[in-house]
Amino acid sequence: MMQLTQFVSHLGRTVFPLIVAAAFTIGQATACGFHYYIPENTSVDRLLQSKDVILARPSRQNRFEFEATKVLRGQGPSEKLPFLVSTVLRKKMELNPEDHVVLERAPEGAWKHVSYANAAYVEMVESVLANSDTWSRDYTPDRFAMFAKLLSSPDPALKELALREVDKAPYAMLRQIDVSLSSEDLLSQLWTIKGIPFQSIRILLLGLSGDDAARVEIHRFIGISKGKERAENLGAFSAALVELDGLDGVARLETTYLTDTSQPLPKLEQVVEALAIHNAVASFELHKAITDALSRMILQRPETAPMVARQFGNRQDWSQGATVALALKNKAIKNPAEQFMVASYVSRAQRAQLSDRVEN
């Protein structure tokens, strides 16, 4: 019988050129991992990448034009700023003489509007620029901590920016947050059109809140989504469920989705992704519950093995090697690309296990 390493080598020689794009990409997991939209750079990212940053107000010579009032980074404009001051904005700024607009310019770029800014917003901008050396290289704990505190800001612009910023955090970092938003606040915007870009992070924060109102909404969604062909953000709701209910949450996901053979594979993958994210921070008992649930799923539906390999492999989590190998032993995976991905994952898992034995 062909050994696993020989099998992987054989696949690599025969079909690798056709399937390399389908194999998992190590280390490419996104921050929270549950976006079904393409996350845009936040205003903070734009500030960090900028060459010049200024504060501006309507010009004293021409009230329909802006003039720089303070340079926060780089140089002020040598040309006329390319923005028209609307009547509404001009009247608002006349009533608030301490407010500004923040403008930034990327290297060799044009001036762009960042935000209307009261004193609190300006203070945030100055803090971002003061930390640009480290924050422009990585999403750091202190960047996360600063915006986590701003989640309860009374300023809508700062609160919205804070949501976008904490949405960037890896789940292990997000779990450290002291949720300052009430469940009522989180739920109030959960299903609104304006709230759609922030839905996944609101769901995860609901899970971290430990609140009964959050539990009711999460249980409701998990239940009603079972009969739907598609369920956007099922992954975020699944992660929130496990965060709230632990072992009982894993059991609910198994009985509702993993053991239901009628569930479409894209929906199951969202649940598997949530379990993979939790597995990285799980207790021994929760880790065992996740592994056992996935093992039963793969035995029942071997075609789910590639999604387990993909989601855990993307996170360099090799704990599911024996689980995924169940599908290889039964030769239940027919697609060459999926064969390669699963076999590669099992091979990496075996090497990781051997390395742990040597080290210990």
Side-chain angles (χ1 to χ4, degrees), residues 66-354:
F66 280 113
E67 65 177 1
T69 56
K70 185 176 183 180
V71 177
L72 300 181
R73 167 184 277 181
Q75 298 181 339
S78 57
E79 72 281 19
K80 183 184 297 185
L81 289 166
F83 304 102
L84 181 67
V85 181
S86 69
T87 301
V88 173
L89 179 60
R90 185 178 69 255
K91 290 182 177 180
K92 181 178 180 179
M93 299 194 83
E94 286 173 354
L95 293 172
N96 299 277
E98 301 302 316
D99 291 357
H100 298 78
V101 294
V102 181
L103 307 177
E104 60 87 16
R105 177 166 57 183
E108 301 180 1
W111 286 101
K112 293 184 179 180
H113 179 269
V114 177
S115 179
Y116 185 90
N118 57 19
Y121 200 99
V122 171
E123 182 181 355
M124 178 277 297
V125 171
E126 291 174 333
S127 295
V128 168
L129 296 177
N131 287 281
S132 61
D133 286 347
T134 54
W135 290 7
S136 60
R137 293 194 299 269
D138 197 11
Y139 186 87
T140 60
D142 57 333
R143 177 174 172 177
F144 169 74
M146 173 177 157
F147 286 98
K149 291 180 181 178
L150 290 175
L151 284 172
S152 57
S153 171
D155 182 355
L158 280 176
K159 179 183 264 187
E160 180 176 305
L161 181 58
L163 279 169
R164 291 188 182 277
E165 276 290 308
V166 300
D167 202 8
K168 290 174 169 285
Y171 193 69
M173 186 182 292
L174 189 64
R175 292 181 88 222
Q176 301 170 14
I177 198 170
D178 180 13
V179 181
S180 54
L181 291 175
S182 68
S183 291
E184 289 73 22
D185 192 339
L186 291 167
L187 289 167
S188 67
Q189 296 293 319
L190 191 61
W191 299 108
T192 64
I193 294 176
K194 186 178 179 181
I196 288 297
F198 311 103
Q199 192 175 58
S200 61
I201 185 60
R202 286 181 184 275
I203 294 164
L204 294 177
L205 290 175
L206 281 170
L208 291 163
S209 72
D211 189 271
D212 286 340
R215 181 174 280 103
V216 168
E217 177 61 19
I218 290 164
H219 283 195
R220 184 193 70 82
F221 184 90
I222 293 294
I224 66 172
S225 297
K226 179 177 181 178
K228 296 182 178 180
E229 184 68 21
R230 297 179 59 193
E232 303 291 6
N233 261 326
L234 176 58
F237 274 103
S238 298
L241 176 66
V242 175
E243 188 67 48
L244 279 170
D245 292 349
L247 297 175
D248 289 341
V250 175
R252 184 183 291 263
L253 290 175
E254 181 176 12
T255 57
T256 307
Y257 292 103
L258 302 185
T259 58
D260 182 356
T261 57
S262 68
Q263 289 296 319
L265 294 180
K267 285 177 66 181
L268 288 183
E269 183 143 8
Q270 290 189 65
V271 177
V272 170
E273 181 180 12
L275 295 177
I277 287 173
H278 266 290
N279 199 62
V281 295
S283 64
F284 175 80
E285 292 78 12
L286 188 59
H287 168 77
K288 185 178 185 303
I290 290 171
T291 298
D292 290 347
L294 294 176
S295 297
R296 287 188 286 268
M297 179 184 72
I298 290 175
L299 282 172
Q300 187 176 18
R301 297 183 71 179
E303 67 270 24
T304 61
M307 69 177 65
V308 176
R310 179 166 46 249
Q311 293 301 331
F312 281 79
N314 279 349
R315 293 163 177 82
Q316 301 188 60
D317 182 340
W318 311 112
S319 62
Q320 303 302 310
T323 302
V324 171
L326 295 171
L328 287 179
K329 290 179 181 178
N330 298 329
K331 297 184 179 179
I333 302 175
K334 306 302 181 184
N335 182 284
E338 293 184 340
Q339 286 179 346
F340 180 79
M341 180 164 52
V342 170
S344 296
Y345 179 86
V346 175
S347 179
R348 289 291 298 267
Q350 289 179 338
R351 292 203 299 271
Q353 187 178 40
L354 178 61

